[in-house]
């Protein structure tokens, strides 16, 4: 059976206290890192960005459609201008001039129809741009909330990280003061069990939270003071003291 002076074994409780604090800090960090508000805002932002993307595509398509309509109007206007110039020149046969008048009338009707289409597109484009602006505002609001909460969480996480650094330094310094053999057993135990050492207090293992059976308790009490004994239920090192019996 491995051995270590009782005074050295008592030190394990302080080391365990530091490890418990580190574990608690790690738990607090995980809670902050998995804050449901971030998940909810991320999901909402993904949806809002998707809708914003669709709104931008609709605006882009309408703008393209408007450019085509404007080009059609300009093309017809150019033809009207050219035909009116020919008509106003008075050159050519009478029947040709009559035909030009008819063409100009048809072209003016065509331009009017195209301008109506252009106006409809403009009105639709205004609505689409308003919808895009409203959706952009939603995205901005979500990003603002996300940024505020993220900053709050990052600040808290940074505080925990700073505290962890201090406690790790304390632990490292304290561990260096322990018997190397005992420390190795402790490290192996905490790696396997999650807890390295606990008191045996009035027959109760604080590692398992349970009273030891009469047989197990008799075996532990029969062990030499410098024997390293383990909790039969949790497997952690049991630190004993006559005043705790």
């Amino acid at each position: 059976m491995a051995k270590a002076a009782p005074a050295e074994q008592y030190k394990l409780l302080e080391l365990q206290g530091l490890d418990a604090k580190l574990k608690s800090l790690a738990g607090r960090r995980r809670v902050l890192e998995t804050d449901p508000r971030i998940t909810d805002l991320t999901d909402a932002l993904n949806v809002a960005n998707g809708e914003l993307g669709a709104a931008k595509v609709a605006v882009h398509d309408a703008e393209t459609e408007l450019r085509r309509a404007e080009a059609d109007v300009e093309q017809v206007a150019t033809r009207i201008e050219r035909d009116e110039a020919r008509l106003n020149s008075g050159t050519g046969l009478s029947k040709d001039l009559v035909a030009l008048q008819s063409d100009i009338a048809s072209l003016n009707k065509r331009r009017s129809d195209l301008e109506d289409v252009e106006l409809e597109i403009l009105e639709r484009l205004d609505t689409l741009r308003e919808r895009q602006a409203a959706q952009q505002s939603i995205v901005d609001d979500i990003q603002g909330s996300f940024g505020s909460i993220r900053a709050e969480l990052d600040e808290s996480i940074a505080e925990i990280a700073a505290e962890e650094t201090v406690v790790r330094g304390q632990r490292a310094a304290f561990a260096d003061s322990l018997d190397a053999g005992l420390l190795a057993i402790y490290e192996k135990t905490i790696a396997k069990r999650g807890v390295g050492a606990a008191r045996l207090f009035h027959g109760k293992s604080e590692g398992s939270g349970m009273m030891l059976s009469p047989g197990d308790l008799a075996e532990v009490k029969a062990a030499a003071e410098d024997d390293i004994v383990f909790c039969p239920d949790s497997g952690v090192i049991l630190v004993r003291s006559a005043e705790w019996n």
Side-chain angles (χ1 to χ4, degrees):
M1 180 178 289
K3 293 181 176 290
E8 286 294 301
Q9 294 189 42
Y10 295 155
K11 291 180 181 180
L12 292 182
L13 296 178
E14 186 171 347
L15 182 62
Q16 178 60 60
L18 292 170
D19 282 331
K21 189 169 185 178
L22 286 172
K23 186 175 181 179
S24 174
L25 289 169
R28 286 169 54 194
R29 184 209 292 265
R30 282 193 299 273
V31 169
L32 292 171
E33 290 174 342
T34 57
D35 191 303
R37 292 177 298 171
I38 291 296
T39 301
D40 292 344
L41 284 173
T42 299
D43 291 342
L45 187 58
N46 288 337
V47 172
N49 274 326
E51 293 179 357
L52 177 59
K56 289 180 177 179
V57 169
V59 168
H60 176 270
D61 290 346
E63 288 173 341
T64 301
E65 189 178 354
L66 178 62
R67 285 193 293 271
R68 286 199 298 265
E70 290 172 339
D72 290 342
V73 170
E74 184 178 354
Q75 184 179 27
V76 171
T78 299
R79 288 182 59 189
I80 292 173
E81 183 180 350
R82 183 188 61 198
D83 288 352
E84 285 180 340
R86 287 177 58 194
L87 181 63
N88 292 334
S89 69
T91 59
L93 299 175
S94 177
K95 65 177 183 177
D96 292 335
L97 296 177
V98 171
L100 272 176
Q101 287 179 324
S102 177
D103 286 344
I104 290 171
S106 296
L107 288 169
N108 278 321
K109 175 65 170 61
R110 173 63 175 160
R111 180 168 66 177
S112 177
D113 291 341
L114 289 173
E115 286 174 342
D116 287 342
V117 171
E118 184 180 1
L119 180 60
E120 182 276 326
I121 296 171
L122 276 170
E123 291 173 348
R124 178 156 45 89
L125 182 56
D126 284 342
T127 300
L128 292 172
R129 283 171 173 163
E130 289 175 0
R131 187 178 303 166
Q132 177 183 334
Q135 193 59 39
Q136 182 67 61
S137 179
I138 291 173
V139 170
D140 292 344
D141 286 345
I142 295 174
Q143 287 177 329
S145 297
F146 186 97
S148 296
I149 293 173
R150 184 71 268 172
E152 171 195 328
L153 293 174
D154 287 345
E155 182 179 356
S156 297
I157 290 172
E159 290 174 356
I160 290 174
E163 190 173 355
E164 284 177 325
T165 299
V166 171
V167 176
R168 284 198 185 97
Q170 293 171 341
R171 186 199 190 277
F174 188 77
D176 284 344
S177 71
L178 291 175
D179 175 81
L182 179 62
L183 178 62
I185 294 172
Y186 172 89
E187 298 287 20
K188 183 177 180 181
T189 303
I190 196 171
K192 184 177 181 180
R193 307 291 183 180
V195 176
R199 289 195 309 172
L200 175 64
F201 191 74
H202 297 310
K204 182 179 181 179
S205 166
E206 293 184 349
S208 66
M210 299 172 60
M211 297 296 295
L212 267 62
S213 68
D216 289 334
L217 185 58
E219 287 185 15
V220 170
K221 286 185 175 182
E225 286 187 351
D226 61 350
D227 284 342
I228 299 174
V229 299
F230 297 87
C231 171
D233 297 308
S234 64
V236 306
I237 299 170
L238 283 179
V239 179
R240 300 160 290 152
S241 168
E243 64 188 73
W244 298 338
N245 289 335

